Short mmCIF file of all heavy atoms in Angstrom, two decimals:
data_model
loop_
_atom_site.label_atom_id
_atom_site.label_comp_id
_atom_site.label_asym_id
_atom_site.label_seq_id
_atom_site.Cartn_x
_atom_site.Cartn_y
_atom_site.Cartn_z
N ALA A 155 4.45 -1.10 1.56
CA ALA A 155 3.97 0.32 1.68
C ALA A 155 4.89 1.17 2.49
O ALA A 155 4.83 2.42 2.41
CB ALA A 155 2.52 0.32 2.20
N SER A 156 5.69 0.60 3.37
CA SER A 156 6.55 1.42 4.21
C SER A 156 7.87 1.73 3.48
O SER A 156 8.46 0.83 2.86
CB SER A 156 6.83 0.60 5.50
OG SER A 156 8.17 0.69 5.85
N PRO A 157 8.34 2.96 3.60
CA PRO A 157 9.60 3.36 2.92
C PRO A 157 10.71 2.38 3.23
O PRO A 157 11.46 1.96 2.35
CB PRO A 157 9.93 4.76 3.44
CG PRO A 157 8.55 5.30 3.69
CD PRO A 157 7.67 4.25 4.21
N VAL A 158 10.85 1.95 4.54
CA VAL A 158 11.95 1.00 4.83
C VAL A 158 11.91 -0.25 4.02
O VAL A 158 12.86 -0.76 3.50
CB VAL A 158 11.94 0.64 6.31
CG1 VAL A 158 12.98 -0.35 6.68
CG2 VAL A 158 12.13 1.95 7.17
N TYR A 160 9.93 -0.83 1.13
CA TYR A 160 9.93 -0.73 -0.28
C TYR A 160 11.28 -0.29 -0.87
O TYR A 160 11.66 -0.55 -2.00
CB TYR A 160 8.75 0.11 -0.86
CG TYR A 160 8.76 1.62 -0.65
CD1 TYR A 160 9.75 2.46 -1.19
CD2 TYR A 160 7.70 2.26 0.02
CE1 TYR A 160 9.68 3.84 -1.06
CE2 TYR A 160 7.62 3.61 0.15
CZ TYR A 160 8.60 4.42 -0.38
OH TYR A 160 8.54 5.73 -0.21
N GLN A 161 12.11 0.28 0.01
CA GLN A 161 13.49 0.67 -0.42
C GLN A 161 14.50 -0.53 -0.16
O GLN A 161 15.65 -0.40 -0.65
CB GLN A 161 13.94 1.94 0.30
CG GLN A 161 13.26 3.16 -0.19
CD GLN A 161 13.37 4.35 0.76
OE1 GLN A 161 14.24 4.39 1.60
NE2 GLN A 161 12.49 5.31 0.61
N THR A 194 -1.81 5.54 -4.21
CA THR A 194 -1.31 6.26 -3.00
C THR A 194 -1.20 7.72 -3.17
O THR A 194 -1.03 8.25 -4.31
CB THR A 194 0.07 5.65 -2.65
OG1 THR A 194 0.75 6.44 -1.66
CG2 THR A 194 0.94 5.58 -3.89
N SER A 195 -1.18 8.39 -2.03
CA SER A 195 -0.94 9.90 -2.05
C SER A 195 0.52 10.15 -2.52
O SER A 195 0.81 11.29 -2.91
CB SER A 195 -1.06 10.40 -0.64
OG SER A 195 -0.26 9.69 0.31
N GLU A 196 1.37 9.13 -2.53
CA GLU A 196 2.76 9.30 -3.04
C GLU A 196 2.75 9.69 -4.51
O GLU A 196 3.77 10.18 -4.96
CB GLU A 196 3.56 7.97 -2.80
CG GLU A 196 3.87 7.71 -1.38
CD GLU A 196 4.99 8.57 -0.81
OE1 GLU A 196 5.92 8.97 -1.57
OE2 GLU A 196 4.93 8.87 0.40
N ARG A 220 12.71 7.14 -3.25
CA ARG A 220 11.29 6.84 -3.18
C ARG A 220 10.66 6.45 -4.49
O ARG A 220 9.52 6.10 -4.53
CB ARG A 220 10.57 8.02 -2.47
CG ARG A 220 10.85 8.29 -1.08
CD ARG A 220 10.16 9.55 -0.59
NE ARG A 220 8.86 9.25 -0.05
CZ ARG A 220 8.53 9.17 1.21
NH1 ARG A 220 9.43 9.29 2.17
NH2 ARG A 220 7.32 8.92 1.61
N TYR A 223 8.71 3.28 -5.58
CA TYR A 223 7.28 3.20 -5.09
C TYR A 223 6.46 4.18 -5.81
O TYR A 223 5.42 3.86 -6.38
CB TYR A 223 7.28 3.41 -3.62
CG TYR A 223 5.96 3.29 -2.95
CD1 TYR A 223 5.41 2.01 -2.75
CD2 TYR A 223 5.26 4.41 -2.45
CE1 TYR A 223 4.17 1.92 -2.07
CE2 TYR A 223 4.00 4.30 -1.82
CZ TYR A 223 3.43 3.00 -1.63
OH TYR A 223 2.26 2.89 -1.04
N ASP A 224 6.91 5.47 -5.78
CA ASP A 224 6.05 6.58 -6.32
C ASP A 224 5.83 6.32 -7.82
O ASP A 224 4.69 6.40 -8.32
CB ASP A 224 6.71 7.92 -6.18
CG ASP A 224 7.01 8.26 -4.73
OD1 ASP A 224 6.80 7.43 -3.85
OD2 ASP A 224 7.50 9.35 -4.47
N PHE A 251 -4.22 7.87 1.50
CA PHE A 251 -3.32 8.72 2.35
C PHE A 251 -2.97 7.93 3.57
O PHE A 251 -3.65 6.99 3.94
CB PHE A 251 -3.95 10.04 2.63
CG PHE A 251 -3.92 11.00 1.46
CD1 PHE A 251 -4.66 10.74 0.32
CD2 PHE A 251 -3.15 12.18 1.51
CE1 PHE A 251 -4.60 11.56 -0.76
CE2 PHE A 251 -3.14 13.06 0.43
CZ PHE A 251 -3.88 12.80 -0.74
N ASN A 252 -1.88 8.33 4.28
CA ASN A 252 -1.39 7.56 5.42
C ASN A 252 -2.46 6.98 6.34
O ASN A 252 -3.28 7.69 6.85
CB ASN A 252 -0.49 8.51 6.27
CG ASN A 252 0.69 9.01 5.54
OD1 ASN A 252 0.58 9.77 4.55
ND2 ASN A 252 1.90 8.64 5.95
N THR A 253 -2.48 5.65 6.38
CA THR A 253 -3.44 4.97 7.17
C THR A 253 -2.71 4.07 8.24
O THR A 253 -1.62 3.55 8.00
CB THR A 253 -4.30 4.06 6.24
OG1 THR A 253 -4.94 4.89 5.31
CG2 THR A 253 -5.36 3.29 6.97
N MET A 258 -0.42 -3.23 11.96
CA MET A 258 0.75 -2.76 11.32
C MET A 258 1.91 -3.51 11.97
O MET A 258 1.86 -3.95 13.12
CB MET A 258 1.00 -1.30 11.69
CG MET A 258 0.03 -0.32 11.11
SD MET A 258 0.36 1.35 11.55
CE MET A 258 1.37 1.83 10.06
N ASP A 262 7.74 -2.20 10.93
CA ASP A 262 7.27 -1.75 9.65
C ASP A 262 8.05 -0.47 9.22
O ASP A 262 8.34 -0.29 8.06
CB ASP A 262 5.79 -1.43 9.77
CG ASP A 262 5.12 -0.92 8.58
OD1 ASP A 262 4.77 -1.82 7.74
OD2 ASP A 262 5.08 0.27 8.37
N GLY A 263 8.43 0.28 10.23
CA GLY A 263 9.25 1.52 9.89
C GLY A 263 8.44 2.74 9.65
O GLY A 263 8.99 3.88 9.52
N ARG A 264 7.10 2.62 9.53
CA ARG A 264 6.26 3.78 9.37
C ARG A 264 6.13 4.58 10.71
O ARG A 264 6.36 4.01 11.76
CB ARG A 264 4.91 3.40 8.77
CG ARG A 264 4.98 3.15 7.32
CD ARG A 264 3.65 2.80 6.67
NE ARG A 264 3.35 1.40 6.82
CZ ARG A 264 2.43 0.77 6.12
NH1 ARG A 264 1.65 1.49 5.26
NH2 ARG A 264 2.16 -0.52 6.24
N VAL A 265 5.81 5.80 10.57
CA VAL A 265 5.95 6.68 11.74
C VAL A 265 5.04 6.33 12.90
O VAL A 265 5.42 6.29 14.09
CB VAL A 265 5.79 8.21 11.33
CG1 VAL A 265 4.39 8.52 10.92
CG2 VAL A 265 6.31 9.06 12.40
N VAL A 266 3.77 5.92 12.61
CA VAL A 266 2.87 5.67 13.70
C VAL A 266 3.35 4.40 14.50
O VAL A 266 3.41 4.46 15.72
CB VAL A 266 1.41 5.45 13.17
CG1 VAL A 266 0.47 5.04 14.31
CG2 VAL A 266 0.89 6.75 12.51
N SER A 267 3.66 3.36 13.75
CA SER A 267 4.11 2.16 14.47
C SER A 267 5.43 2.37 15.15
O SER A 267 5.65 1.97 16.29
CB SER A 267 4.19 0.95 13.50
OG SER A 267 4.74 1.37 12.29
N ASN A 268 6.38 3.07 14.48
CA ASN A 268 7.63 3.41 15.17
C ASN A 268 7.47 4.13 16.46
O ASN A 268 8.00 3.71 17.47
CB ASN A 268 8.55 4.28 14.22
CG ASN A 268 9.43 3.44 13.37
OD1 ASN A 268 9.22 2.23 13.21
ND2 ASN A 268 10.38 4.03 12.65
N PHE A 269 6.72 5.21 16.46
CA PHE A 269 6.58 6.04 17.66
C PHE A 269 5.86 5.26 18.76
O PHE A 269 6.30 5.30 19.92
CB PHE A 269 5.75 7.33 17.38
CG PHE A 269 6.52 8.34 16.63
CD1 PHE A 269 7.88 8.17 16.22
CD2 PHE A 269 5.93 9.61 16.34
CE1 PHE A 269 8.59 9.16 15.49
CE2 PHE A 269 6.66 10.57 15.65
CZ PHE A 269 7.94 10.36 15.20
N GLN A 272 8.33 2.53 20.13
CA GLN A 272 9.37 3.18 20.90
C GLN A 272 8.87 3.70 22.22
O GLN A 272 9.49 3.49 23.23
CB GLN A 272 9.98 4.40 20.02
CG GLN A 272 10.80 3.87 18.88
CD GLN A 272 10.98 4.98 17.80
OE1 GLN A 272 10.32 5.99 17.82
NE2 GLN A 272 11.90 4.71 16.86
N GLU A 278 14.14 5.71 22.71
CA GLU A 278 14.05 7.04 22.12
C GLU A 278 13.10 7.14 20.98
O GLU A 278 13.06 6.20 20.16
CB GLU A 278 15.48 7.54 21.71
CG GLU A 278 16.42 7.69 22.84
CD GLU A 278 17.86 7.95 22.43
OE1 GLU A 278 18.27 7.54 21.27
OE2 GLU A 278 18.59 8.54 23.22
N ILE A 279 12.39 8.27 20.87
CA ILE A 279 11.46 8.51 19.73
C ILE A 279 12.31 9.10 18.61
O ILE A 279 12.89 10.16 18.78
CB ILE A 279 10.34 9.51 20.11
CG1 ILE A 279 9.53 9.02 21.38
CG2 ILE A 279 9.43 9.81 18.92
CD1 ILE A 279 8.60 7.89 21.13
N THR A 280 12.39 8.38 17.42
CA THR A 280 13.20 8.86 16.31
C THR A 280 12.53 9.86 15.46
O THR A 280 11.64 9.45 14.62
CB THR A 280 13.69 7.68 15.47
OG1 THR A 280 12.54 6.94 15.13
CG2 THR A 280 14.65 6.78 16.30
N MET A 281 12.84 11.11 15.65
CA MET A 281 12.15 12.20 14.82
C MET A 281 13.06 12.51 13.65
O MET A 281 14.26 12.93 13.84
CB MET A 281 11.96 13.45 15.67
CG MET A 281 11.24 14.53 15.03
SD MET A 281 9.52 14.06 14.75
CE MET A 281 8.96 14.00 16.40
N PHE A 282 12.62 12.36 12.45
CA PHE A 282 13.42 12.59 11.25
C PHE A 282 13.16 14.08 10.85
O PHE A 282 12.04 14.52 10.76
CB PHE A 282 12.99 11.71 10.10
CG PHE A 282 13.17 10.18 10.31
CD1 PHE A 282 12.54 9.24 9.51
CD2 PHE A 282 13.97 9.77 11.37
CE1 PHE A 282 12.73 7.91 9.76
CE2 PHE A 282 14.17 8.43 11.63
CZ PHE A 282 13.51 7.48 10.76
N GLY A 283 14.27 14.80 10.69
CA GLY A 283 14.18 16.19 10.41
C GLY A 283 13.77 16.98 11.68
O GLY A 283 13.99 16.51 12.75
N ASP A 284 13.13 18.20 11.46
CA ASP A 284 12.78 19.01 12.64
C ASP A 284 11.41 18.65 13.17
O ASP A 284 10.95 19.27 14.17
CB ASP A 284 12.85 20.53 12.24
CG ASP A 284 11.94 20.86 11.07
OD1 ASP A 284 11.13 20.01 10.72
OD2 ASP A 284 11.96 22.05 10.61
N GLY A 285 10.72 17.70 12.54
CA GLY A 285 9.41 17.32 13.03
C GLY A 285 8.29 18.25 12.58
O GLY A 285 7.10 18.04 13.05
N GLN A 286 8.58 19.17 11.79
CA GLN A 286 7.54 20.11 11.32
C GLN A 286 6.85 19.64 10.09
O GLN A 286 5.88 20.24 9.61
CB GLN A 286 8.13 21.54 11.05
CG GLN A 286 8.66 22.27 12.33
CD GLN A 286 7.56 22.33 13.40
OE1 GLN A 286 6.42 22.62 13.12
NE2 GLN A 286 7.95 22.04 14.63
N GLN A 287 7.36 18.54 9.41
CA GLN A 287 6.70 18.01 8.27
C GLN A 287 5.35 17.46 8.73
O GLN A 287 5.22 16.97 9.82
CB GLN A 287 7.53 16.94 7.55
CG GLN A 287 7.70 15.67 8.23
CD GLN A 287 8.89 15.58 9.23
OE1 GLN A 287 9.25 16.58 9.86
NE2 GLN A 287 9.54 14.45 9.36
N THR A 288 4.32 17.51 7.81
CA THR A 288 2.99 17.10 8.16
C THR A 288 2.50 15.84 7.42
O THR A 288 3.01 15.56 6.35
CB THR A 288 1.94 18.20 7.91
OG1 THR A 288 1.78 18.35 6.51
CG2 THR A 288 2.33 19.53 8.58
N ARG A 289 1.60 15.12 8.06
CA ARG A 289 0.89 14.00 7.43
C ARG A 289 -0.56 14.05 7.95
O ARG A 289 -0.77 14.67 9.05
CB ARG A 289 1.50 12.64 7.76
CG ARG A 289 2.91 12.38 7.17
CD ARG A 289 2.94 12.33 5.67
NE ARG A 289 4.30 11.91 5.21
CZ ARG A 289 5.26 12.74 4.96
NH1 ARG A 289 5.07 14.03 5.12
NH2 ARG A 289 6.44 12.31 4.48
N SER A 290 -1.48 13.41 7.29
CA SER A 290 -2.87 13.35 7.69
C SER A 290 -3.21 11.91 7.88
O SER A 290 -3.10 11.14 6.90
CB SER A 290 -3.74 13.99 6.64
OG SER A 290 -3.19 15.33 6.36
N PHE A 291 -3.52 11.46 9.03
CA PHE A 291 -3.63 10.03 9.34
C PHE A 291 -5.08 9.53 9.36
O PHE A 291 -5.88 10.08 10.14
CB PHE A 291 -2.94 9.72 10.63
CG PHE A 291 -1.49 10.03 10.67
CD1 PHE A 291 -0.97 11.20 11.27
CD2 PHE A 291 -0.58 9.19 10.05
CE1 PHE A 291 0.38 11.46 11.28
CE2 PHE A 291 0.78 9.43 9.96
CZ PHE A 291 1.23 10.64 10.59
N THR A 324 1.70 17.80 12.51
CA THR A 324 3.16 17.76 12.34
C THR A 324 3.62 16.45 13.04
O THR A 324 2.93 15.86 13.95
CB THR A 324 3.89 18.88 13.00
OG1 THR A 324 3.73 18.85 14.38
CG2 THR A 324 3.40 20.22 12.46
N MET A 325 4.84 15.95 12.71
CA MET A 325 5.33 14.72 13.34
C MET A 325 5.61 14.91 14.80
O MET A 325 5.51 14.02 15.67
CB MET A 325 6.55 14.18 12.58
CG MET A 325 6.23 13.70 11.17
SD MET A 325 4.84 12.55 10.99
CE MET A 325 3.54 13.64 10.54
N LEU A 326 5.92 16.22 15.18
CA LEU A 326 6.16 16.52 16.55
C LEU A 326 4.79 16.38 17.33
O LEU A 326 4.77 15.82 18.46
CB LEU A 326 6.62 17.95 16.69
CG LEU A 326 8.14 18.11 16.95
CD1 LEU A 326 8.50 19.60 17.09
CD2 LEU A 326 8.62 17.32 18.13
N LEU A 328 2.34 14.47 16.49
CA LEU A 328 2.07 13.05 16.61
C LEU A 328 2.88 12.42 17.72
O LEU A 328 2.27 11.65 18.53
CB LEU A 328 2.44 12.33 15.25
CG LEU A 328 2.27 10.81 15.29
CD1 LEU A 328 0.78 10.41 15.38
CD2 LEU A 328 2.95 10.19 14.08
N ALA A 329 4.12 12.73 17.83
CA ALA A 329 4.99 12.21 18.91
C ALA A 329 4.42 12.61 20.29
O ALA A 329 4.32 11.76 21.19
CB ALA A 329 6.43 12.69 18.78
N VAL A 343 14.54 12.13 19.96
CA VAL A 343 15.90 12.42 19.40
C VAL A 343 15.70 12.78 17.91
O VAL A 343 14.85 12.16 17.26
CB VAL A 343 16.90 11.25 19.58
CG1 VAL A 343 17.19 11.02 21.08
CG2 VAL A 343 16.39 10.02 18.87
N LYS A 345 16.96 12.92 14.06
CA LYS A 345 17.76 12.20 13.07
C LYS A 345 17.61 12.92 11.68
O LYS A 345 16.67 13.67 11.51
CB LYS A 345 17.20 10.75 12.84
CG LYS A 345 17.13 9.93 14.18
CD LYS A 345 18.42 9.17 14.41
CE LYS A 345 18.25 8.38 15.63
NZ LYS A 345 19.53 7.76 16.07
N PRO A 346 18.58 12.66 10.76
CA PRO A 346 18.40 13.37 9.48
C PRO A 346 17.21 13.03 8.76
O PRO A 346 16.68 11.88 8.83
CB PRO A 346 19.67 12.78 8.67
CG PRO A 346 20.50 12.19 9.74
CD PRO A 346 19.74 11.75 10.88
N LEU A 347 16.64 14.00 8.01
CA LEU A 347 15.42 13.74 7.22
C LEU A 347 15.82 12.89 5.96
O LEU A 347 16.72 13.31 5.26
CB LEU A 347 14.87 15.10 6.79
CG LEU A 347 13.50 15.08 6.12
CD1 LEU A 347 12.44 14.63 7.18
CD2 LEU A 347 13.15 16.43 5.51
N PRO A 348 15.11 11.87 5.64
CA PRO A 348 15.50 11.06 4.52
C PRO A 348 15.22 11.86 3.19
O PRO A 348 14.42 12.81 3.18
CB PRO A 348 14.49 9.88 4.50
CG PRO A 348 13.94 9.81 5.95
CD PRO A 348 13.99 11.19 6.46
N ASP A 350 14.03 13.24 -0.26
CA ASP A 350 12.73 13.45 -0.87
C ASP A 350 11.51 13.20 0.01
O ASP A 350 10.42 12.88 -0.39
CB ASP A 350 12.50 12.43 -2.10
CG ASP A 350 13.54 12.74 -3.25
OD1 ASP A 350 13.99 13.93 -3.29
OD2 ASP A 350 13.88 11.83 -3.97
N ASP A 351 11.75 13.31 1.32
CA ASP A 351 10.64 13.17 2.33
C ASP A 351 9.65 14.35 2.13
O ASP A 351 10.00 15.50 2.29
CB ASP A 351 11.20 13.15 3.72
CG ASP A 351 10.26 12.57 4.74
OD1 ASP A 351 9.38 13.29 5.18
OD2 ASP A 351 10.48 11.39 5.08
N PRO A 352 8.38 14.04 1.76
CA PRO A 352 7.44 15.18 1.49
C PRO A 352 7.28 16.04 2.77
O PRO A 352 7.21 15.56 3.86
CB PRO A 352 6.14 14.45 1.20
CG PRO A 352 6.55 13.11 0.62
CD PRO A 352 7.76 12.77 1.45
N ARG A 353 7.26 17.35 2.55
CA ARG A 353 7.14 18.30 3.62
C ARG A 353 5.75 18.36 4.26
O ARG A 353 5.53 18.65 5.40
CB ARG A 353 7.52 19.71 3.21
CG ARG A 353 9.02 19.99 3.17
CD ARG A 353 9.32 21.26 2.46
NE ARG A 353 8.89 21.26 1.10
CZ ARG A 353 7.87 21.91 0.56
NH1 ARG A 353 7.08 22.68 1.35
NH2 ARG A 353 7.58 21.80 -0.68
N GLN A 354 4.73 18.12 3.37
CA GLN A 354 3.38 18.23 3.86
C GLN A 354 2.48 17.32 2.98
O GLN A 354 2.74 16.99 1.86
CB GLN A 354 2.91 19.69 3.73
CG GLN A 354 3.11 20.27 2.35
CD GLN A 354 2.62 21.75 2.23
OE1 GLN A 354 2.23 22.32 3.20
NE2 GLN A 354 2.63 22.26 1.07
N ARG A 355 1.41 16.88 3.65
CA ARG A 355 0.48 16.04 2.88
C ARG A 355 -0.87 16.07 3.57
O ARG A 355 -1.02 15.91 4.83
CB ARG A 355 1.00 14.59 2.92
CG ARG A 355 0.16 13.70 2.02
CD ARG A 355 0.56 12.30 1.97
NE ARG A 355 1.85 12.11 1.29
CZ ARG A 355 2.74 11.18 1.67
NH1 ARG A 355 2.45 10.40 2.75
NH2 ARG A 355 3.79 11.02 1.01
N1 LIG B 1702 9.26 9.59 10.41
C1 LIG B 1702 9.90 9.93 11.55
N2 LIG B 1702 10.35 8.95 12.41
C2 LIG B 1702 10.25 7.65 12.12
C3 LIG B 1702 9.58 7.28 10.94
C4 LIG B 1702 9.10 8.27 10.08
O1 LIG B 1702 10.06 11.16 11.90
O2 LIG B 1702 10.64 6.84 12.91
C5 LIG B 1702 8.75 10.64 9.57
C6 LIG B 1702 9.11 10.53 8.06
O3 LIG B 1702 10.37 11.12 7.81
C7 LIG B 1702 7.95 11.26 7.38
C8 LIG B 1702 6.74 10.93 8.29
O4 LIG B 1702 7.37 10.57 9.52
O5 LIG B 1702 8.24 12.63 7.32
C9 LIG B 1702 5.85 9.85 7.78
O6 LIG B 1702 6.68 8.71 7.45
P1 LIG B 1702 6.08 7.32 7.03
O7 LIG B 1702 7.26 6.49 6.68
O8 LIG B 1702 5.11 6.81 8.05
O9 LIG B 1702 5.20 7.60 5.77
P2 LIG B 1702 5.40 8.46 4.41
O10 LIG B 1702 6.62 9.30 4.49
O11 LIG B 1702 5.47 7.43 3.30
O12 LIG B 1702 4.20 9.28 4.42
#
Side-chain angles (χ1 to χ4, degrees):
S156 135
V158 174
Y160 72 63
Q161 287 164 19
T194 167
S195 54
E196 288 283 328
R220 294 177 85 100
Y223 185 74
D224 300 5
F251 284 65
N252 298 64
T253 301
M258 290 184 93
D262 181 86
R264 280 181 276 192
V265 69
V266 174
S267 42
N268 269 12
F269 285 2
Q272 290 161 347
E278 293 173 335
I279 305 285
T280 52
M281 185 67 65
F282 299 165
D284 60 7
Q286 293 305 319
Q287 71 272 34
T288 69
R289 294 292 188 272
S290 307
F291 296 103
T324 66
M325 293 311 99
L326 262 181
L328 175 69
V343 295
K345 305 268 181 188
L347 190 68
D350 295 336
D351 199 278
R353 277 170 297 108
Q354 53 181 4
R355 186 181 293 146

